[in-house]
Amino acid sequence: MAIPHPHLSAKSLRWISDQYFGMNGTFVETLGAPPTPLEFSRLAHVSRPVIIKGASSSTGADWTNEYLTQAMGQQRVSVSVTPNGRADSITRGSDGKLYFTEPCTEQITMSELLGSLNDEANQEVMYLQSQNGNLYTNDFFTTGTSSTEFEPLRKNVPSEVSWCSRAFGRPPDAVNLWIGNHKSHTSIHSDPYENIYTVVRGAKHFLLLPPTEGWCVQEHLHPHATYERSPEDGRLSLAPSNESVPPVRWASVTDPHLPDSLPDGAHPIEVTLHAGDTLYLPVGWWHHVRQSHGVTIALNWWYDAEMAGGSWTWLSLLRGIEDEVATEEDDVNTTAA
Amino acid sequence: MAIPHPHLSAKSLRWISDQYFGMNGTFVETLGAPPTPLEFSRLAHVSRPVIIKGASSSTGADWTNEYLTQAMGQQRVSVSVTPNGRADSITRGSDGKLYFTEPCTEQITMSELLGSLNDEANQEVMYLQSQNGNLYTNDFFTTGTSSTEFEPLRKNVPSEVSWCSRAFGRPPDAVNLWIGNHKSHTSIHSDPYENIYTVVRGAKHFLLLPPTEGWCVQEHLHPHATYERSPEDGRLSLAPSNESVPPVRWASVTDPHLPDSLPDGAHPIEVTLHAGDTLYLPVGWWHHVRQSHGVTIALNWWYDAEMAGGSWTWLSLLRGIEDEVATEEDDVNTTAA
């Protein structure tokens, strides 16, 4: 189901993205050290990606399999399991239709997860991507207490990125640990958060598009499905959800690296983060993510986006998202109807 | 001549401004003391007006007629002269047509200016509004030297607002002195600058509209005219410029305070600054300005707007300004033609 843009013609979207590209190009600044809060405030105002070297704030962990296995012990953690490494992605079902497909979520130990990630012959793909504040949730910042599956690793991960919290004047909304390998791809999407993303082991490869080029990924409404494990043969299969589950708005471009998958007007930016590198990924930027160099481990701090001012209106306009703001015109129409 | 919006329908403009108003209302923050650079950086990111008490940075002057007359002596300064206090405004000519009309500019002494402003019976209205960096120009910041008509008052006006320069990471582009009285109104317009505006004597009354409500002031292209003084009788009259002078894009709403001059979708914000008060007037905000309490004196520091990121594209889109960014589509059309 295609989503018509409520306010902008294809020509207008193209004008906006050409204008933005003309002023910004594909420049990505690299800082050799963490910025001061004031420097970061300026960067967040510009809202373009920045790579920061030497800002890794993890402490006291070498992030080896041995360390993780010892620290986590028999604690079970939630991992995404798919047959193809495409969790939260547009996938064709056995009925030939395309679905937005969520992974099967299973609880296993760290030892089992790392064993699976190191087993190239494995027919299933695991990715620790629970992204629900699996290290620190908003509750931690508001009440000072909260428990998560990865509590044993909290001593290695500060709850805040100091220069970012000071720049925004608030703590993060969620802090997450990510563990995966080259078999997992994250499909292109944008988040309603400011994101500080640090790689502590392996390498992550981001393909980025600015909010102005969102039209290039062709969001559509897709019916919902989930990978389910068969009780009979134990295999995963795509199970369409029943019709009460609302369709999901998601990019139709499944792999922006494929030739001709993006239109001429797109100007993708490719960024690789190695261990110790941090990416500032501003709110609303589209990103597709891959991994390499064996087991890749990353941390991210999500900060609420600024809701005062015009940024949110701008991002909503670009995505063609209709918020329900009643206008007097609407009121008149309602009254008349 | 009406300007059709190249990209947004009336319905889209209305949606954007309703959305923005729904998220921001007409809130104007008031600070009791100057912000830190980091605090101001956050405020500039939000890009809404802020009133700052106790931030007046003028030094060693009481801004009385006596002080100004003594300090400036026989130095001549450029003042705007009009028959009605409407410089740079849409005015009807004797031919019945509407013109964007610039004032007559004349060079007089400070003593003559203040005498005129204190003479209620005067048939002409003077306003010192040269706004060309009459205290400090960009040259001052780039070369360290430059001269202006108001050099004798520089000792009373710092060249920079420290918290603002540090937040933006650059010095001002121009610093101006303004001297006028209740007879002068500044017609509603927006500037491509971040503006720090301090009143040091009297009071200024701003009517503000956010960039999202620019459609409410109905910009049109108007033919150009200037007030000229007749060599015969010495009177001012509106002289249409010859046709080689391009028409000027300007708001058709001449006084937004008049009933029904703004549409229902406008949410004007009225702000009064007394001596000692400072207004942060963000780039692109529409403002109409009046004065009261006798001779009103103000200082302003214009800082270049941030050109990186999306702000400029957003402001251009809202005003319907077409920059010439060639698209591949255009190239194809050109080749085909």
Side-chain angles (χ1 to χ4, degrees), chain A residues 40 44 57 136 138 141 158-176 191-197 278-284 300-307 312:
Chain A
F40 185 64
S57 43
Y136 301 96
N138 183 257
F141 299 103
S159 58
E160 304 191 40
V161 178
S162 61
W163 39 269
C164 188
S165 293
R166 285 202 55 214
F168 291 141
R170 49 181 171 262
D173 190 63
V175 184
N176 296 298
D191 296 309
Y193 289 103
E194 303 279 6
N195 197 349
I196 304 293
Y197 202 104
T278 295
L279 176 66
Y280 164 51
L281 181 59
V283 55
N300 96 291
W301 291 259
W302 266 321
Y303 286 82
D304 283 336
E306 179 59 67
M307 286 292 139
W312 200 256

Side-chain angles (χ1 to χ4, degrees), chain B:
Chain B
M1 194 190 315
I3 305 175
H5 197 293
H7 297 305
L8 296 174
S9 65
K11 187 160 170 274
S12 300
L13 284 164
R14 181 65 186 254
W15 181 84
I16 293 168
S17 63
D18 284 344
Q19 193 81 10
Y20 180 86
F21 174 71
M23 297 194 72
N24 294 282
T26 53
F27 178 66
V28 173
E29 189 166 358
T30 299
L31 303 180
T36 65
L38 178 57
E39 286 165 348
F40 185 65
S41 177
R42 287 186 205 138
L43 292 168
H45 182 31
V46 170
S47 206
R48 288 188 60 82
V50 179
I51 297 169
I52 304 151
K53 303 278 186 183
S56 171
S57 44
S58 86
T59 50
D62 57 10
W63 301 104
T64 56
N65 290 5
E66 295 66 35
Y67 176 75
L68 291 168
T69 305
Q70 173 269 317
M72 292 295 294
Q74 291 309 302
Q75 167 76 43
R76 289 183 171 267
V77 300
S78 302
V79 299
S80 292
V81 193
T82 59
N84 54 12
R86 268 67 173 172
D88 307 320
S89 192
I90 303 303
T91 308
R92 200 170 295 280
S94 57
D95 57 3
K97 291 187 191 161
L98 292 174
Y99 292 89
F100 172 80
T101 309
E102 291 199 59
C104 180
T105 301
E106 296 183 322
Q107 278 70 38
I108 59 174
T109 65
M110 181 61 77
S111 171
E112 288 166 332
L113 170 62
L114 294 168
S116 167
L117 292 174
N118 282 317
D119 175 9
E120 277 295 320
N122 199 330
Q123 292 300 302
E124 293 183 352
V125 181
M126 290 190 176
Y127 190 14
L128 164 51
Q129 55 133 27
S130 44
Q131 61 193 282
N132 55 354
N134 62 27
L135 280 164
Y136 300 97
T137 63
N138 182 257
D139 273 355
F140 174 85
F141 299 103
T142 51
T143 70
T145 57
S146 77
S147 62
T148 67
E149 291 174 346
F150 293 94
E151 207 130 350
L153 298 178
R154 280 190 176 171
K155 62 180 176 293
N156 307 122
V157 182
S159 59
E160 304 192 40
V161 177
S162 61
W163 40 268
C164 188
S165 293
R166 286 202 54 213
F168 291 141
R170 48 181 172 263
D173 190 62
V175 183
N176 296 298
L177 174 71
W178 308 73
I179 304 181
N181 68 10
H182 71 97
K183 292 183 180 174
S184 287
H185 292 199
T186 302
S187 64
I188 195 159
H189 68 286
S190 68
D191 296 309
Y193 289 103
E194 303 279 7
N195 197 351
I196 304 293
Y197 202 104
T198 296
V199 171
V200 294
R201 175 175 165 189
K204 287 242 178 188
H205 310 278
F206 288 79
L207 182 146
L208 307 172
L209 292 174
T212 47
E213 293 178 12
W215 59 274
C216 298
V217 307
Q218 301 171 55
E219 284 191 291
H220 288 76
L221 287 175
H222 297 275
H224 184 272
T226 311
Y227 283 114
E228 289 182 356
R229 192 177 294 289
S230 157
E232 285 85 41
D233 62 9
R235 299 182 62 174
L236 293 174
S237 65
L238 186 153
S241 304
N242 77 48
E243 292 189 354
S244 68
V245 178
V248 176
R249 185 183 168 120
W250 207 256
S252 296
V253 170
T254 50
D255 185 349
H257 295 277
L258 293 178
D260 301 325
S261 64
L262 292 173
D264 284 346
H267 304 93
I269 298 173
E270 299 202 44
V271 163
T272 290
L273 303 184
H274 297 283
D277 293 347
T278 294
L279 176 67
Y280 164 50
L281 181 60
V283 56
W285 276 70
W286 298 86
H287 49 293
H288 178 273
V289 193
R290 298 183 296 187
Q291 300 157 97
S292 67
H293 294 63
V295 174
T296 292
I297 305 180
L299 307 168
N300 95 291
W301 290 260
W302 266 322
Y303 286 81
D304 283 336
E306 179 59 67
M307 287 291 139
S311 310
W312 200 255
T313 301
W314 175 230
L315 292 174
S316 301
L317 178 74
L318 290 173
R319 280 192 70 188
I321 290 176
E322 277 280 28
D323 277 13
E324 285 165 26
V325 175
T327 65
E328 287 169 42
E329 202 175 292
D330 290 338
D331 291 345
V332 170
N333 291 346
T334 308
T335 311

